Amino acid sequence: MEKIKIDDVKFSEDFYPRANFDNVAVNSYRLNIDKLPPIKVTKEEHYLIDGYHRLLAHKLEGLTEIKADFLDIPKD
């Protein structure tokens, strides 16, 4: 686990088809921001694979970095 700048995380519906969000979940995550598991992003291009709500919570809290696990997934 490492940290990544939030602005470096890319969102693509190809990797993450669930573009809708649950406001209740995001607000709950905001209250527990330090206890959240890392998001998952691709190793090379930093596309979000898992953690959309956690990413939104960090953005709304004004944070600039988030914990992340980098997965070696080819772009294809």
Side-chain angles (χ1 to χ4, degrees), residues 53-67:
H53 290 90
R54 285 170 273 163
L55 183 65
L56 288 177
H58 278 71
K59 284 182 179 182
L60 290 171
E61 287 298 305
L63 300 172
T64 59
E65 292 185 324
I66 188 168
K67 295 182 288 188

Side-chain angles (χ1 to χ4, degrees), residues 6-54:
I6 288 174
D7 290 342
D8 290 344
V9 178
K10 298 175 187 169
F11 181 82
S12 171
E13 289 185 15
D14 291 341
F15 288 117
Y16 207 93
R18 300 175 301 189
N20 296 330
F21 71 94
D22 181 344
N23 200 30
V24 173
V26 172
N27 285 329
S28 174
Y29 290 170
R30 289 177 74 184
L31 295 173
N32 298 289
I33 207 105
D34 293 332
K35 298 175 186 172
L36 298 176
I39 62 171
K40 298 188 185 319
V41 296
T42 60
K43 186 176 183 179
E44 294 300 320
E45 299 203 14
H46 304 145
Y47 282 103
L48 182 68
I49 301 298
D50 182 54
Y52 184 66
H53 290 90
R54 285 170 273 163

